[in-house]
Amino acid sequence: MSKENKKRTILQGFEWYLPDDGDHWNRLAGQAKELQKMGITGIWLPPAYKGTGGIHDVGYGVYDMYDLGEFNQKGSIPTKYGTKEQYLTAIKKLQAAGIKVYADIVLNHRMGADGVEEVNAVLDSSNNRNNCISAPYPILAWTKFTFPGRNGVYSDFTWNASHFDGVDWDDRKKQNGIFLFEGKSWEQNVDKELGNYDYLMGADLDMGNQEVIDELDRWGKWYLEQTNVDGFRLDAVKHINFSFYTHWLLKLRKESGKELHTIAEYWNPNASALCHYLDASGHVTTLFDVPLHFNFNKASGNNGNFDMRRIFEGTLTDARPDYAVTFVDNHDTQPGQALESFVQAWFKPLAYALILLRDDGIPCIFYGDLYGIPHDNIPPVKGLPELIKARNFSAYGTQTDYFDHENIIGWTRNGSPDMPDSGMAVIMSEGPGGSKYMCVGAEHAGETFVDLLGNCTDKIVLNETGCGDFKVGGGSVSVWLPEKACTRLTE
Ligand code: CA
């Protein structure tokens, strides 16, 4: 694990059901100092360009990537999150607080075209996209993007059917389906789910068309110049030619001279697929550890019968720790969403301790966990701000694992001389409560440790070798810190 990664603590700065009030950029700007104080070092902002749903679009229904809330298109000037001016102000305020800004980049598809075109297309089986189930016939496809509301400002590029591989709607027959345009083929270097998972939704960009590549290069340069963001979160990379971002990112990094640290979303529960993407794309990006999310989801719903010794089994954190961005939930896994697989509330503090207080992985905290999801009456995860602080002030030094019991696991960190009163003992149970004898380090001999989360209220005095019998309640986690550190972190 590189030192640089260890310092990173990222917040996903939104959840699906934020109000459509055009005020979120302002909210985040107002939270910058509080987030910095908590120990957040990076924030992933939602897509900032105009979506087909206008002010109601979460951002993934991309319409015009040059409209960052500046032009009257799709029913409003602002996006769901605000105007371009507010976006740029929020970025500046977050950066001024020492928080790096990650922009959400959605290049796979476009939606809400300005006009239809007649295109010859074949219908592919939706379950096996390699399987063509019709002869070519003319369909009416929504592929003409002229952006009349922007009228050529920033770019006069317009899109037509030649820039796309296919769509999922024939406006002549009013028919749904996976339509592949005649003379086109799905990109081969993509995820193999459904035979070929190039097509996800909307009008699917043809990354084999040089005009498309050139336009995306121009847009990336423009966007970086306009916004001065520090890095990217890449959407839906399993649906895009695996070498595309190698080209796009390396070019932008070279031109800008910036690091442009990047996290990509490759939604697949198998670490082998994620490792393949890392290799195939030349390790230009880190990836969300999707398998770990599913382990958390399973553990939380298994009635105390999950073997906690195996919580990291089959994860990217285990296979490629330097490229793993760990997370508990996100805007797609929250209740009501496409990939709903929400980790149960009782397990969330355990999951966050696992991603925040250990050595491996870059943790990404979900806005809906930090601030709650009012739309579904879901409260904030109890103790999460304290866990984030503990990561930054206490989770240092050698990590010693005690993954030796099917219900109760733990680990210790012996601390760093550079961080006063650092070091900790973490213990959690997904079954009944109990205790575990763990050693923090001889330098902590005789120190009194207390539970930062207040789940256990007694005090533990370490013996002459810096070891102690640490307790935990049932279905709970306790983070034992030197008493002095605990007082400071809860002030
Ligand atoms: Ca695609």
Side-chain angles (χ1 to χ4, degrees):
M1 169 64 40
S2 72
K3 274 191 175 152
E4 187 61 32
N5 278 355
K6 197 179 273 186
K7 279 182 275 172
R8 298 184 202 266
T9 308
I10 297 169
L11 174 68
Q12 174 181 2
F14 65 105
E15 51 100 355
W16 195 271
Y17 297 110
L18 291 173
D20 301 343
D21 57 5
D23 205 31
H24 195 54
W25 300 142
N26 285 341
R27 261 193 300 274
L28 291 176
Q31 284 165 328
K33 282 196 181 136
E34 163 194 326
L35 294 173
Q36 184 267 336
K37 205 174 157 216
M38 204 185 286
I40 298 295
T41 66
I43 186 165
W44 153 24
L45 301 184
Y49 16 84
K50 192 69 58 68
T52 182
I55 199 155
H56 308 295
D57 204 302
V58 172
Y60 298 98
V62 182
Y63 167 64
D64 183 3
M65 297 189 82
Y66 290 99
D67 182 359
L68 308 179
E70 187 179 9
F71 303 98
N72 192 358
Q73 301 191 103
K74 300 297 177 193
S76 66
I77 290 175
T79 67
K80 169 169 170 141
Y81 309 108
T83 63
K84 178 180 182 183
E85 203 181 328
Q86 291 165 337
Y87 179 53
L88 299 182
T89 302
I91 292 170
K92 283 199 194 98
K93 287 209 170 148
L94 288 159
Q95 288 173 334
I99 297 173
K100 290 194 178 352
V101 174
Y102 290 71
D104 203 325
I105 303 295
V106 188
L107 300 186
N108 180 64
H109 52 267
R110 296 293 169 103
M111 297 174 116
D114 301 298
V116 290
E117 291 175 278
E118 187 175 278
V119 195
N120 280 330
V122 295
L123 201 50
D124 280 347
S125 160
S126 43
N127 300 324
N128 181 357
R129 279 83 183 280
N130 293 320
N131 198 1
C132 173
I133 55 174
S134 84
Y137 65 97
I139 67 165
L140 285 182
W142 287 94
T143 45
K144 218 170 151 59
F145 291 80
T146 54
F147 315 113
R150 176 160 55 80
N151 198 22
V153 177
Y154 300 127
S155 166
D156 55 9
F157 189 86
T158 58
W159 298 75
N160 60 55
S162 74
H163 301 120
F164 301 104
D165 280 333
V167 293
D168 63 355
W169 177 252
D170 171 12
D171 207 55
R172 176 172 287 137
K173 289 191 178 174
K174 308 292 177 197
Q175 186 193 359
N176 272 115
I178 306 293
F179 294 98
L180 174 65
F181 295 163
E182 195 177 34
K184 300 275 189 169
S185 53
W186 300 123
E187 283 153 39
Q188 292 306 301
N189 200 9
V190 294
D191 194 80
K192 298 290 180 253
E193 200 181 325
L194 305 175
N196 174 301
Y197 216 172
D198 182 3
Y199 188 84
L200 174 64
M201 60 170 85
D204 187 76
L205 269 64
D206 177 3
M207 302 302 190
N209 180 334
Q210 192 58 40
E211 283 181 19
V212 172
I213 302 295
D214 292 345
E215 167 58 11
L216 297 179
D217 287 348
R218 278 191 299 270
W219 176 80
K221 192 165 184 281
W222 172 85
Y223 182 74
L224 196 56
E225 282 165 3
Q226 294 279 316
T227 63
N228 192 34
V229 293
D230 303 286
F232 301 119
R233 178 268 183 190
L234 308 177
D235 186 60
V237 297
K238 77 174 179 181
H239 308 285
I240 298 173
N241 188 326
F242 291 171
S243 61
F244 168 75
Y245 275 114
T246 316
H247 157 83
W248 192 83
L249 275 174
L250 289 182
K251 190 173 160 74
L252 266 185
R253 281 174 183 157
K254 197 173 166 199
E255 283 171 0
S256 66
K258 295 178 86 169
E259 179 199 14
L260 300 178
H261 186 254
T262 297
I263 314 162
E265 176 220 20
Y266 192 111
W267 198 260
N268 190 310
N270 298 311
S272 58
L274 305 188
C275 291
H276 176 69
Y277 184 83
L278 290 172
D279 294 338
S281 62
H283 296 84
V284 291
T285 178
T286 61
L287 292 179
F288 287 112
D289 192 345
V290 176
L292 181 60
H293 157 76
F294 280 109
N295 282 2
F296 291 155
N297 177 262
K298 267 179 235 153
S300 81
N302 216 20
N303 298 316
N305 295 314
F306 187 89
D307 187 343
M308 287 296 281
R309 292 170 296 193
R310 303 171 67 173
I311 194 73
F312 285 104
E313 200 172 282
T315 65
L316 191 64
T317 301
D318 188 43
R320 303 278 178 93
D322 286 351
Y323 290 92
V325 174
T326 52
F327 69 102
V328 178
D329 272 303
N330 65 29
H331 64 293
D332 283 326
T333 69
Q334 74 182 85
Q337 281 316 299
L339 306 170
E340 179 174 338
S341 48
F342 211 48
V343 175
Q344 290 184 23
W346 72 272
F347 193 80
K348 291 235 171 180
L350 285 71
Y352 273 108
L354 283 160
I355 69 169
L356 287 166
L357 304 180
R358 296 174 56 76
D359 214 11
D360 289 334
I362 302 168
C364 181
I365 296 140
F366 181 41
Y367 195 86
D369 285 336
L370 188 58
Y371 293 107
I373 305 175
H375 176 272
D376 291 305
N377 295 314
I378 295 171
V381 173
K382 200 171 153 275
L384 185 48
E386 287 74 21
L387 289 171
I388 299 168
K389 284 185 201 165
R391 168 179 178 77
N392 287 289
F393 295 101
S394 303
Y396 292 94
T398 303
Q399 178 178 301
T400 307
D401 284 346
Y402 297 83
F403 282 38
D404 53 6
H405 185 274
E406 58 190 20
N407 296 126
I408 303 179
I409 58 167
W411 66 92
T412 62
R413 310 290 302 263
N414 75 335
S416 157
D418 304 333
M419 296 299 291
D421 307 307
S422 59
M424 58 170 56
V426 182
I427 179 168
M428 61 180 66
S429 173
E430 56 83 70
S435 68
K436 194 183 290 291
Y437 184 78
M438 298 193 290
C439 298
V440 185
E443 58 273 49
H444 295 278
E447 285 181 12
T448 301
F449 273 51
V450 295
D451 178 9
L452 170 71
L453 301 176
N455 292 328
C456 288
T457 50
D458 26 355
K459 297 181 178 189
I460 294 174
V461 180
L462 304 198
N463 66 19
E464 67 284 357
T465 52
C467 305
D469 209 20
F470 295 95
K471 293 181 183 170
V472 67
S476 180
V477 54
S478 288
V479 176
W480 296 91
L481 304 182
E483 200 168 18
K484 259 198 264 174
C486 204
T487 308
R488 195 175 326 121
L489 292 194
T490 50
E491 262 168 11

